[in-house]
Amino acid sequence: MGITNEVGIDLGTANVLVYLKGKGVVINEPSVVAINIDTDEILAVGANAKQMIGRTPGNIVAVRPLRDGVISDYTTTERMLKHFISKTWGKGFSKPRILVGIPSGVTEVEKRAITEAAIQAGGKEVRLIEEPVAAAIGAGIDISKPNGVMIIDIGGGTTDVAVISLGSIVTSKLLKVAGDSFDESIIKYMRREYNLFIGERTAEDLKMTIGCAFPREEVAVKQCSGRDLLTGLPRTVEVTSKEIMGALDESLEVICGAIREVLEQTPPELAADISVNGIVINGGGALLYGIDRRIEEFVGIKVTIADDPKSCVAIGTGIAMDSPLLRRIK
């Protein structure tokens, strides 16, 4: 199939995914830009830039231009988007129409900033779709029916808990507790319990390899290296999955509490649908070991992890381009 002029973007705090109609997800890279602050030159974007976090000399900074699901550094976001759109689109083609996934409940000012950044980055026409709606579509759920569907999108900067019916969000809650919060909790735990200072990448590695939200059948163990806060020298300690689960406990309880709160605000007919059909979770946070069982035990409703949870929003933006629902998208 030839190249089309429609692009879907999941503009995430942790990762940017780009969906090209007819080709699927063509870019999945970290939302990181490395900049030389002396010359304002962009040295790397995405995976190459992420490799530089915590390892750059003074004149180079690795910037994450999105925080808590919204733009915190407009200029860098625009430049990052321009890089990804150019990488997807190439030169010599007409400007693409872009559909961007955004967290539910963001302000009009934040929506305008995302729209303007995408236009300045090369978009001909930019529309926005709420991420829980895109995630549900990407997970293969028919949201056009008058049935209650609960989606939990656990990303890098935010967790979006939403109940959807007839293609729209009925009730939702946006939390600034998600993957980044998990990493911060692990950093704090290692500092408190071991007097060991570790960086973001080390914390993320611990989360992904031995982290869990529900006890593992066998306790996993991993070596963790950092800087001893007492001596200032490098030191390595052994950490268990049980410890990491304890470090993540507070953040997980906040997420579970938000899910219960949204269920309590859901109209009874839709709540009955959810109790029968269950809850679907997506986003990078859905890959945390046992998070489905943790939520299931807390609310007493079956929880399913979407297929390819990290790509659901991007896939959903692509499918939504051809959907009648797009008429209702701003």
Side-chain angles (χ1 to χ4, degrees), residues 39-53:
T39 63
D40 199 36
E41 176 191 1
I42 289 184
L43 303 177
V45 178
N48 291 336
K50 187 174 182 180
Q51 293 294 324
M52 298 181 184
I53 290 179

Side-chain angles (χ1 to χ4, degrees), residues 6 16 44 59 72 79 81 87 183 252 286:
E6 293 179 337
V16 174
N59 65 324
S72 62
R79 295 168 80 180
L81 274 175
K87 190 173 178 180
D183 297 344
L252 291 166

Side-chain angles (χ1 to χ4, degrees), residues 102-105 130-132 151-155 158-162 169 172-175:
I102 59 168
S104 68
E130 289 170 309
E131 285 173 355
I151 291 284
I152 304 166
D153 180 17
I154 308 173
T158 59
T159 293
D160 222 336
V161 184
I169 291 177
S172 67
K173 188 173 181 67
L174 183 66
L175 299 173

Side-chain angles (χ1 to χ4, degrees), residues 240-290:
T240 68
S241 55
K242 188 175 180 181
E243 288 180 277
I244 300 301
M245 186 175 76
L248 300 178
D249 193 63
E250 187 177 337
S251 294
L252 291 166
E253 284 297 300
V254 171
I255 291 172
C256 287
I259 296 166
R260 174 176 283 174
E261 189 179 323
V262 170
L263 284 169
E264 289 170 350
Q265 295 169 356
T266 301
E269 296 294 337
L270 299 182
D273 293 338
I274 294 165
S275 69
V276 172
N277 299 325
I279 296 168
V280 176
I281 56 175
N282 71 283
L287 299 175
L288 179 66
Y289 179 93

Side-chain angles (χ1 to χ4, degrees), residues 134-156:
I137 295 170
I141 299 169
D142 183 355
I143 62 171
S144 64
K145 296 178 180 178
N147 294 327
V149 174
M150 176 171 256
I151 291 284
I152 304 166
D153 180 17
I154 308 173

Side-chain angles (χ1 to χ4, degrees), residues 18-290:
V18 180
Y19 182 102
L20 188 59
K21 190 176 174 184
K23 293 192 175 182
V25 176
V26 293
I27 287 177
N28 179 358
E29 294 205 39
S31 311
V32 184
V33 181
I35 301 172
N36 183 324
I37 56 176
D38 292 339
T39 63
D40 199 36
E41 176 191 1
I42 289 184
L43 303 177
V45 178
N48 291 336
K50 187 174 182 180
Q51 293 294 324
M52 298 181 184
I53 290 179
R55 294 179 171 174
T56 58
N59 65 324
I60 298 172
V61 290
V63 178
R64 295 180 63 182
L66 294 124
R67 286 286 171 187
D68 302 329
V70 296
I71 294 173
S72 62
D73 183 333
Y74 178 86
T75 303
T76 306
T77 299
E78 181 189 315
R79 295 168 80 180
M80 179 178 72
L81 274 175
K82 190 172 287 186
H83 171 86
F84 287 133
I85 291 172
S86 173
K87 190 173 178 180
T88 305
W89 208 242
K91 295 180 180 178
F93 294 100
S94 59
K95 290 185 174 183
R97 291 201 296 271
I98 298 174
L99 184 60
V100 184
I102 59 168
S104 68
V106 300
T107 67
E108 290 301 319
V109 171
E110 289 163 344
K111 288 179 183 178
R112 204 154 49 241
I114 292 168
T115 301
E116 284 300 315
I119 289 173
Q120 292 300 319
K124 176 183 178 183
E125 174 192 339
V126 177
R127 290 189 178 186
L128 309 177
I129 181 171
E130 289 170 309
E131 285 173 355
V133 174
I137 295 170
I141 299 169
D142 183 355
I143 62 171
S144 64
K145 296 178 180 178
N147 294 327
V149 174
M150 176 171 256
I151 291 284
I152 304 166
D153 180 17
I154 308 173
T158 59
T159 293
D160 222 336
V161 184
V163 173
I164 301 168
S165 180
L166 289 170
S168 298
I169 291 177
V170 178
T171 182
S172 67
K173 188 173 181 67
L174 183 66
L175 299 173
K176 293 180 180 179
V177 176
D180 289 348
S181 303
F182 296 162
D183 297 344
E184 288 165 14
S185 295
I186 292 170
I187 290 170
K188 288 177 183 175
Y189 177 83
M190 296 304 294
R191 180 190 289 265
R192 184 176 66 248
E193 296 297 320
Y194 290 98
N195 281 317
L196 194 72
F197 180 60
I198 62 172
E200 288 179 27
R201 290 181 61 204
T202 301
E204 184 182 28
D205 182 53
L206 284 173
K207 175 184 70 179
M208 293 172 69
T209 52
I210 65 169
C212 53
F214 197 84
R216 292 176 180 263
E217 291 181 10
E218 291 186 14
V219 175
V221 179
K222 186 174 176 65
Q223 300 284 322
C224 173
S225 300
R227 189 177 77 238
D228 191 304
L229 289 167
L230 300 178
T231 66
L233 300 175
R235 182 161 65 96
T236 300
V237 298
E238 204 170 70
V239 191
T240 68
S241 55
K242 188 175 180 181
E243 288 180 277
I244 300 301
M245 186 175 76
L248 300 178
D249 193 63
E250 187 177 337
S251 294
L252 291 166
E253 284 297 300
V254 171
I255 291 172
C256 287
I259 296 166
R260 174 176 283 174
E261 189 179 323
V262 170
L263 284 169
E264 289 170 350
Q265 295 169 356
T266 301
E269 296 294 337
L270 299 182
D273 293 338
I274 294 165
S275 69
V276 172
N277 299 325
I279 296 168
V280 176
I281 56 175
N282 71 283
L287 299 175
L288 179 66
Y289 179 93

